[in-house]
Amino acid sequence: MSTASVWPLRAGAGFELAQRLGYDGVEVMVWVDPLSQDVGALRRLSRQTGVPVLSVHSPSLLITQRVWSPDPAVRLRRSVEAAIELDARTVVVHPPFRWQRRYGDMFADLVAELEDETGVEIAIENMFKVRPPGGRRDARVSAFRPSIDPTEVGYRHYTLDLSHSAAAGMDAMELAERMGRGLTHVHLADGTGVPKDEHLVPGRGNQPCAELLEKLVAASFTGQVVLEVNTRRAVSAADRARDLAEALLFARFHLGQ
């Protein structure tokens, strides 16, 4: 379970809910929550709850451009170092923003270099277009370089996010085919196809969540499936727990568990 799934609660609540509901581990979303940035505190929390950190989401969002460093290359290096300290296999990162020219020029080489040096898998995530400030309601542009589809560049490892593919109007099954054996990480969530990032509980939208999981099983997938769902509208702790329990049950059922 991604700790982002309990937002606006802090990462500690994610560990506790993951323990209570029986998740295998967590993906730590590194963002403005100070706990998510404190590797020592995360390690202690993991020991206390018995919930391992299986992956680290590098601070790639617009609101996290100052977390750890204003330099995106430093943030990526710090993410890999955090993964090593937490015994996490994977770092998830977004493609560079279009205005990050120097970082964009070096990104593919930096990813390859860090993977070679550390053995940590850096899984590049598919994204979606957004409406430009002041633009028409139907106008959409890519904020990412070279595009929202990381397979256009070609990396060793990918993260397939089904909420992002829904917002982008992309066929998630075709994207999975393009990613091929490089698909080692899945952000499982649903969407209805509206051009915004919904992160619905799987089964509540129109994305091929079940079909993708069953395809992964048939292909002897050995990667990670992370529930990254939006529970911010939950009116109570019980409602949040029910949503995350339903998401876990959906994943386990379609993974044959």
Side-chain angles (χ1 to χ4, degrees), residues 3 11 28-39 42 56 67-68:
T3 58
V28 173
M29 169 68 83
V30 181
W31 53 5
V32 292
D33 169 12
L35 177 57
S36 74
Q37 304 169 27
D38 188 333
V39 176
L42 291 169
V56 173
V67 170
W68 282 345

Side-chain angles (χ1 to χ4, degrees), residues 58-60 64-81 91 93-97 100-111 113-114 117 122:
S58 183
S60 306
T64 59
Q65 295 299 291
R66 295 282 173 178
V67 170
W68 282 345
S69 170
D71 185 335
V74 174
R75 291 199 299 273
L76 181 54
R77 288 186 182 276
R78 288 281 301 272
S79 300
V80 172
E81 291 167 2
V91 166
V93 64
H94 296 174
F97 287 115
Q100 295 172 324
R101 294 187 179 181
R102 187 176 68 86
Y103 178 56
D105 289 342
M106 67 186 295
F107 182 70
D109 290 338
L110 176 62
V111 167
E113 172 191 322
L114 289 171
E117 289 177 355
I122 302 176

Side-chain angles (χ1 to χ4, degrees), residues 49-225:
T49 59
V51 176
V53 177
L54 302 179
S55 51
V56 173
H57 196 309
S58 183
S60 306
L61 304 172
L62 281 173
I63 63 171
T64 59
Q65 295 299 291
R66 295 282 173 178
V67 170
W68 282 345
S69 170
D71 185 335
V74 174
R75 291 199 299 273
L76 181 54
R77 288 186 182 276
R78 288 281 301 272
S79 300
V80 172
E81 291 167 2
I84 293 169
E85 291 189 51
L86 294 167
D87 294 321
R89 163 182 165 179
T90 305
V91 166
V92 177
V93 64
H94 296 174
F97 287 115
R98 290 172 60 185
W99 54 85
Q100 295 172 324
R101 294 187 179 181
R102 187 176 68 86
Y103 178 56
D105 289 342
M106 67 186 295
F107 182 70
D109 290 338
L110 176 62
V111 167
E113 172 191 322
L114 289 171
E115 289 188 317
D116 288 340
E117 289 177 355
T118 67
V120 173
E121 296 178 357
I122 302 176
I124 318 304
E125 188 170 3
N126 62 296
M127 300 306 294
F128 56 96
K129 293 182 178 181
V130 296
R131 188 171 75 176
R136 302 190 319 271
R137 291 180 62 87
D138 60 343
R140 292 293 181 272
V141 298
S142 171
F144 300 96
R145 180 179 180 184
S147 79
I148 60 175
D149 182 353
T151 67
E152 290 187 9
V153 175
Y155 299 97
R156 296 178 196 169
H157 302 101
Y158 298 104
T159 296
L160 173 51
D161 186 305
L162 285 105
S163 178
H164 292 180
S165 62
M170 298 173 71
D171 186 314
M173 299 300 284
E174 289 184 0
L175 180 57
E177 285 290 332
R178 291 198 298 277
M179 290 179 171
R181 298 189 67 82
L183 174 53
T184 56
H185 204 77
V186 174
H187 278 171
L188 183 60
D190 216 333
T192 61
V194 297
K196 66 178 182 177
D197 199 10
E198 296 175 286
H199 282 284
L200 304 177
V201 171
R204 297 185 185 177
N206 58 19
Q207 292 303 288
C209 298
E211 293 88 339
L212 178 66
L213 295 183
E214 291 163 7
K215 173 185 174 65
L216 295 178
V217 172
S220 301
F221 181 70
T222 58
Q224 299 167 328
V225 176

Side-chain angles (χ1 to χ4, degrees), residues 17 20-21 231 234 236-247:
L17 258 178
R20 182 151 63 92
L21 297 175
T231 64
S236 68
D239 285 337
R240 175 176 285 109
R242 274 193 293 270
D243 281 349
L244 292 172
E246 179 184 330

